[in-house]
Amino acid sequence: MNTRLDPVLSRIDADLDPALERLMTFLRIPSISTDPAHKADCRTAAEWLVADLKSLGAEAELCDTPGHPMVWGKIGSGSPHLLFYGHYDVQPVDPLSLWDHDPFAPFIEERETGKVIRGRGASDDKGQLMTFVEACRAWIAEHGTLPCTITFFFEGEEESGSPSLIPFMEANKDKLAADLALICDTSMVSPGVPSIASQLRGMLKDEFTLIGPSMDLHSGHYGGPALNPLREISKIIASFHDDQGRVTVKDFYDGVEEVSAEQLAQWENCGFDEKDYLGNAGMTVAHGEAGYSTLEQQWARPTLEINGLWGGYQGPGSKTVIPSEAHCKITCRLVGQQDPDKIRENLHAHVEARLPVDAKVVWDQDLEGSPAAVMNTARPEFEAARQALSDEWNREAVFAGMGGSIPIAGFFTTILGLDSMLVGYADDDDRIHSPNEKYGLKNFHKGIRSWARILDAVSKA
Ligand SMILES: [Zn+2]
């Protein structure tokens, strides 16, 4: 019995219909941020959020930027002070012909596995964002206030590269000051398994051109004596990994930590279906580093991937050419404390040391790199939230790695000095960014209840 929390949870159950109605209204606004034709709609969505936050009794305002507006709001008192982030913009809907319904006429669909909310943004990120707002609403309805202080921070450019985000954060550090950031824009590790992100992999992009002869050559006149850049680049690329799948670039693994036994045990019981995951991509085994599980390879190990490789003649028929150039695009996923700048330096040295006489290499100069975001799961709020999620979902919640990157978590650290906690209730098959996006009604309902529990737990932690 938790006399503070229980009435809030009951209130959430009783008020699910109006909460859903509010989400439907929000989903009807076609706030596609990348399309200038929807500029006014983005503003409408931001204004709708400001009004909704004010209806909670929050101080709230729309903040203009050179792009789409930010929404800022604040409510509650006492500690901790949490900064909640979500985004109100959505992805474009084309190709429209692949939708079974109007993307901006949301509705509830009955499926064998339960009811789902259909519509663009249902999962990414309007439905997820509203789980938090509704949890706050229920707390306020029951207790007249929140158990802690909340600052709301919603952007409208997440799906279009967030051009205004960094300048806005730089200019509004005081307004965004808090103890911990909460981000609701991620999936559960598998259906019904609540998860908190423990690490998001970083990224390093690179590209090079290997230049050999001064022009494309006739393979009859020059074949034999000629330096062939395609042959040479193939050798270099083959040298990036050993036969155990380990990257051979010098010091590549500096800053990579092994996953703790406790964490591995959580992952082993997280419901991840390896066969399904591999099978969906036409594979029967994982092809990464030997000695690491599929999940470790995806969440906790760095990679060096060749994303593109080209050169020479690629049209129909054949052409007896020895090309003068060959090209390669590379990205690395980074983990732990790996330093993208040092890796870039060593990668360049690795390639340059393997160039044959008469060859040279030119690197693309404009490609960025960002380190991994490692969450500070040792903070007491993380364990408190994990317990709260376990209580709601009736199974142990997991600190899960994430294979991809979520830049906002890094910006919260570098600009605001904040740790982030990422909790989301989406399912991997929500078809975010694709036609027929959905969000489970149960995910929405339990998502609201989860946040209510987390607010209770972290305000006591
Ligand atoms: Zn999103």
Side-chain angles (χ1 to χ4, degrees), residues 252-443:
F252 186 77
Y253 292 92
D254 280 8
V256 179
E257 281 148 30
E258 296 294 324
V259 179
S260 73
E262 190 194 347
Q263 181 79 81
L264 276 181
Q266 266 186 27
W267 290 0
E268 264 154 38
N269 296 310
C270 75
F272 172 71
D273 189 333
E274 182 181 19
K275 228 179 133 191
D276 204 45
Y277 168 82
L278 295 170
N280 282 342
M283 297 183 292
T284 54
V285 294
H287 293 260
E289 258 179 285
Y292 294 94
S293 70
T294 303
L295 265 190
E296 281 175 281
Q297 289 179 17
Q298 187 198 345
W299 288 350
R301 302 299 299 171
T303 65
L304 187 163
E305 290 297 351
I306 311 304
N307 308 115
L309 181 59
W310 71 102
Y313 180 67
Q314 289 164 57
S318 65
K319 183 179 178 193
T320 53
V321 65
I322 293 169
S324 67
E325 295 182 353
H327 309 264
C328 175
K329 280 184 191 287
I330 295 171
T331 53
C332 297
R333 296 278 177 180
L334 307 179
V335 303
Q337 308 300 321
Q338 278 182 300
D339 176 348
D341 296 332
K342 264 183 72 183
I343 290 178
R344 190 189 302 279
E345 210 179 292
N346 289 331
L347 175 65
H348 289 199
H350 182 102
V351 170
E352 278 149 24
R354 285 163 179 77
L355 288 178
V357 177
D358 295 333
K360 64 176 192 216
V361 65
V362 177
W363 295 90
D364 191 314
Q365 296 300 324
D366 304 315
L367 297 168
E368 70 273 12
S370 57
V374 182
M375 305 304 150
N376 192 358
T377 53
R379 281 179 69 131
E381 295 94 335
F382 278 78
E383 188 53 32
R386 200 175 75 84
Q387 284 302 328
L389 286 167
S390 304
D391 291 344
E392 175 60 29
W393 295 81
N394 288 318
R395 61 109 60 228
E396 199 188 359
V398 183
F399 287 138
M402 302 256 157
S405 309
I406 296 191
I408 182 77
F411 299 146
F412 281 150
T413 308
T414 53
I415 301 172
L416 302 177
L418 283 181
D419 287 326
S420 297
M421 182 156 76
L422 288 89
V423 181
Y425 312 104
D427 284 326
D428 277 339
D429 67 351
D430 277 354
R431 307 180 62 100
I432 63 168
H433 299 199
S434 301
N436 303 319
E437 181 174 348
K438 59 99 175 154
Y439 195 42
L441 182 57
K442 185 177 150 193
N443 303 56

Side-chain angles (χ1 to χ4, degrees), residues 87 89 123-125 158-159 184-186 432-433:
H87 63 91
D89 62 322
S123 178
D124 183 17
D125 184 39
E158 199 275 343
E159 305 290 9
C184 191
D185 198 14
T186 47
I432 63 168
H433 299 199

Side-chain angles (χ1 to χ4, degrees), residues 11 48 110 125 131 151 158 176 200 235 319 377 417:
R11 168 74 70 153
W48 185 88
E110 299 268 1
D125 184 39
T131 58
T151 295
E158 199 275 343
L176 299 172
L200 307 168
K235 283 191 239 170
K319 183 179 178 193
T377 53

Side-chain angles (χ1 to χ4, degrees), residues 14-345:
D15 287 351
L16 184 61
D17 283 347
L20 192 55
E21 205 31 67
R22 280 185 287 272
L23 173 58
M24 294 302 202
T25 307
F26 192 21
L27 290 174
R28 283 184 201 106
I29 308 168
S31 47
I32 303 170
S33 58
T34 196
D35 184 349
H38 288 280
K39 191 169 165 52
D41 296 318
C42 290
R43 193 172 187 86
T44 302
E47 285 166 347
W48 185 88
L49 277 172
V50 170
D52 197 55
L53 292 180
K54 283 186 176 164
S55 78
L56 300 181
E59 186 190 342
E61 62 188 36
L62 182 146
C63 309
D64 279 308
T65 73
H68 301 300
M70 303 285 174
V71 173
W72 176 90
K74 192 173 174 188
I75 192 167
S77 59
S79 63
H81 184 168
L82 305 172
L83 176 72
F84 178 80
Y85 167 89
H87 63 91
Y88 66 77
D89 62 322
V90 297
Q91 280 275 319
V93 293
D94 52 286
L96 202 54
S97 61
L98 294 182
W99 286 77
D100 299 333
H101 56 87
D102 178 345
F104 296 108
F107 65 101
I108 302 291
E109 183 184 274
E110 299 268 1
R111 300 173 91 204
E112 261 173 44
T113 46
K115 293 180 179 176
V116 300
I117 306 159
R118 286 273 179 201
R120 172 57 90 225
S123 178
D124 183 17
D125 184 39
K126 290 175 173 171
Q128 301 239 62
L129 181 162
M130 288 306 287
T131 58
F132 188 83
V133 175
E134 295 299 345
C136 293
R137 195 184 320 272
W139 265 99
I140 292 160
E142 260 335 290
H143 298 299
T145 184
L146 287 164
C148 57
T149 310
I150 306 283
T151 295
F152 300 94
F153 178 34
F154 303 137
E155 75 160 317
E157 299 180 330
E158 199 275 343
E159 305 290 9
S160 51
S162 300
S164 310
L165 185 64
I166 292 175
F168 182 83
M169 287 171 75
E170 297 274 9
N172 291 278
K173 285 180 189 168
D174 290 348
K175 281 178 97 162
L176 299 172
D179 302 315
L180 177 68
L182 304 176
I183 299 171
C184 191
D185 198 14
T186 47
S187 312
M188 295 196 290
V189 60
S190 42
V193 182
S195 8
I196 301 175
S198 57
Q199 173 168 275
L200 307 168
R201 290 197 290 189
M203 168 79 90
L204 167 69
K205 300 173 182 173
D206 220 333
E207 176 173 343
F208 68 94
T209 299
L210 194 154
I211 302 168
S214 54
M215 71 194 98
D216 284 2
L217 300 173
H218 188 291
S219 71
H221 290 169
Y222 277 100
L227 166 69
N228 185 327
L230 283 170
R231 275 170 56 193
E232 298 304 331
I233 207 167
S234 305
K235 283 191 239 170
I236 290 171
I237 287 163
S239 77
F240 285 147
H241 296 85
D242 68 16
D243 58 8
Q244 299 296 299
R246 272 182 79 83
V247 176
T248 56
V249 173
K250 181 169 167 277
D251 298 336
F252 186 77
Y253 292 92
D254 280 8
V256 179
E257 281 148 30
E258 296 294 324
V259 179
S260 73
E262 190 194 347
Q263 181 79 81
L264 276 181
Q266 266 186 27
W267 290 0
E268 264 154 38
N269 296 310
C270 75
F272 172 71
D273 189 333
E274 182 181 19
K275 228 179 133 191
D276 204 45
Y277 168 82
L278 295 170
N280 282 342
M283 297 183 292
T284 54
V285 294
H287 293 260
E289 258 179 285
Y292 294 94
S293 70
T294 303
L295 265 190
E296 281 175 281
Q297 289 179 17
Q298 187 198 345
W299 288 350
R301 302 299 299 171
T303 65
L304 187 163
E305 290 297 351
I306 311 304
N307 308 115
L309 181 59
W310 71 102
Y313 180 67
Q314 289 164 57
S318 65
K319 183 179 178 193
T320 53
V321 65
I322 293 169
S324 67
E325 295 182 353
H327 309 264
C328 175
K329 280 184 191 287
I330 295 171
T331 53
C332 297
R333 296 278 177 180
L334 307 179
V335 303
Q337 308 300 321
Q338 278 182 300
D339 176 348
D341 296 332
K342 264 183 72 183
I343 290 178
R344 190 189 302 279
E345 210 179 292

